Amino acid sequence: MDRQQLQRALNWSWGILSVVVLGLLGAPFVVPHPRLAAAAPRCEARARYGRECSLCGMTTAFLAISRAQFGRAHAANRGSLPLYSVLLANQVCWWIFLRRRWRCLY
């Protein structure tokens, strides 16, 4: 595989991942919060071992972030705000990449 093919594969992978993340970040603005909370999977670590994993409370936290309840999000999972920020930054970078790519094509 040459460098151009690798670059194309990485761009496609980033694009697919970014579309999934866009759905994740956008869902609380489209789907009612109780429905999203009900659809969240049950934590296997909590069910099997009785202890929380690092992602426990993340759904609750992301729903709180979408309502601008940052204190509640931090209480649900301390890593939610940094993770949300990184995911949001990825979306901004992907959008900039697409705009630049679009300008080069036309």
Side-chain angles (χ1 to χ4, degrees):
M1 179 182 292
D2 67 356
R3 184 182 167 131
Q4 188 176 14
Q5 287 176 325
L6 178 62
Q7 185 68 39
R8 190 173 295 143
L10 289 173
N11 287 343
W12 273 101
S13 299
W14 185 29
I16 291 168
L17 179 67
S18 294
V19 168
V20 171
V21 169
L22 182 63
L24 174 75
L25 297 180
F29 298 100
V30 179
V31 181
H33 287 206
R35 184 179 231 176
L36 283 175
R42 191 173 127 196
C43 178
E44 287 297 317
R46 187 182 292 176
R48 287 186 182 182
Y49 309 114
R51 57 188 157 143
E52 293 184 350
C53 70
S54 59
L55 294 176
C56 278
M58 198 62 75
T59 301
T60 303
F62 273 34
L63 291 174
I65 291 169
S66 71
R67 293 180 179 153
Q69 299 171 339
F70 303 113
R72 186 169 176 220
H74 182 74
N77 188 309
R78 291 185 321 182
S80 63
L81 293 170
L83 179 60
Y84 196 92
S85 298
V86 167
L87 294 175
L88 194 60
N90 175 71
Q91 293 307 110
V92 170
C93 291
W94 185 58
W95 179 252
I96 291 169
F97 170 79
L98 286 178
R99 287 192 44 104
R100 286 183 180 172
R101 187 81 154 177
W102 187 261
R103 282 187 198 147
C104 290
L105 292 176
Y106 297 102

